[in-house]
Amino acid sequence: DIQLTQSPSSLSASVGDTVTITCRASGSVSKYLNWYQQTPGRAPNLLIYLASTLQSGVPSRFSGTGSGTDFTLTIHSLRPEDFATYFCQNSFGGPPTFGGGTKVEIK
Amino acid sequence: QLQLQESGPGLVKASETLSLTCTVSGGSVGTTRSFWGWIRQSPGKGLEWIGTIYYTGSAYYNPSLKSRVTISLDKSRNLFSLDLKSVTAADTAVYYCVRPAEFGCGETMCYWGWFDTWGQGTLVSVSS
């Protein structure tokens, strides 16, 4: 199975900051990597699929890059509603697995 | 708009079978090339894919759970179900039903897609 390692596991940032979260796969997943946002008590919400395609309705301040084993999720101009936990997920190379999550907290 | 809603007991005794249903609205589980699935989330294991079922009824399971899990469709009631037998405390989690946006299996590998619709989740606790 593909293992996904996210870093950092948590970070503190201020409204208006730009933050970058990394997801590293234990083997190549090509472009088949997706990102989700989860707020407390809610289900995860799809942000980006196929590494860089923005899900309908997701603000353009979210962006994703990467291929193979290394991927990043960038959030530009953080807004209060962006303080949440973010997960990556692989679509290929074995059963779907999720990263351990990155919690974005208010500084 | 597609909506999913989990239902089932919130407490299950150890060694018994956990059974959940997911009622679908705004779509049909029998639609050609539709796919449905279950994912769970626990503090210890994080998010864990349980399985995906194709509209034909063919199901694919996480190898770590395969011996204990069954996912099935009920087209007459427009829902799909999860049965997980012989549960232990390690199965305590929030269980989500999901809709994969894409899915396909070849001879040797499967493409699992991304999960674009989630139910609100239901907490299931396993008691000893």
Side-chain angles (χ1 to χ4, degrees):
Chain A
D1 296 0
I2 294 290
Q3 294 185 351
L4 298 176
T5 303
Q6 288 184 234
S7 60
S9 55
S10 66
L11 63 90
S12 296
S14 301
V15 171
D17 285 352
T18 293
V19 300
T20 298
I21 298 168
T22 296
C23 179
R24 175 161 289 175
S26 60
S28 177
V29 296
S30 185
K31 63 179 179 178
Y32 300 106
L33 193 286
N34 314 303
W35 291 96
Y36 301 83
Q37 176 195 64
Q38 186 177 35
T39 54
R42 304 288 297 272
N45 180 53
L46 177 69
L47 295 175
I48 288 171
Y49 58 94
L50 295 174
S52 61
T53 303
L54 210 60
Q55 171 69 348
S56 176
V58 173
S60 59
R61 62 181 181 273
F62 291 91
S63 64
T65 62
S67 66
T69 61
D70 294 306
F71 300 84
T72 59
L73 171 69
T74 301
I75 313 171
H76 297 276
S77 301
L78 267 175
R79 294 177 61 105
E81 58 267 32
D82 299 336
F83 291 94
T85 301
Y86 295 85
F87 297 94
C88 54
Q89 173 242 325
N90 72 295
S91 300
F92 194 67
T97 56
F98 292 83
T102 296
K103 187 173 184 179
V104 177
E105 299 175 300
I106 300 174
K107 184 182 289 185
Chain B
Q1 181 182 359
L2 182 69
Q3 292 186 319
L4 308 177
Q5 177 67 58
E6 305 88 351
S7 59
L11 189 63
V12 181
K13 292 183 180 178
S15 81
E16 295 188 345
T17 297
L18 179 161
S19 294
L20 297 173
T21 61
C22 181
T23 301
V24 177
S25 57
S28 170
V29 300
T31 298
T32 301
R33 288 192 51 78
S34 65
F35 337 100
W36 312 93
W38 291 92
I39 289 170
R40 68 182 183 180
Q41 184 174 29
S42 63
K45 288 189 174 182
L47 287 161
E48 182 179 29
W49 172 74
I50 298 172
T52 294
I53 189 164
Y54 201 40
Y55 77 103
T56 59
S58 296
Y60 303 82
Y61 303 121
N62 190 319
S64 68
L65 299 169
K66 187 174 183 178
S67 63
R68 298 194 292 131
V69 67
T70 302
I71 298 175
S72 57
L73 294 178
D74 186 334
K75 296 179 182 179
S76 65
R77 294 195 293 162
N78 205 33
L79 57 80
F80 58 102
S81 301
L82 168 69
D83 287 323
L84 182 66
K85 60 184 182 183
S86 305
V87 297
T88 69
D91 295 308
T92 293
V94 176
Y95 285 76
Y96 295 101
C97 55
V98 297
R99 194 274 298 269
E102 293 189 354
F103 171 70
C105 280
E107 289 187 2
T108 59
M109 295 193 77
C110 290
Y111 169 61
W112 307 100
W114 51 91
F115 306 104
D116 66 355
T117 306
W118 297 62
Q120 65 183 25
T122 186
L123 174 63
V124 180
S125 299
V126 177
S127 67
S128 55

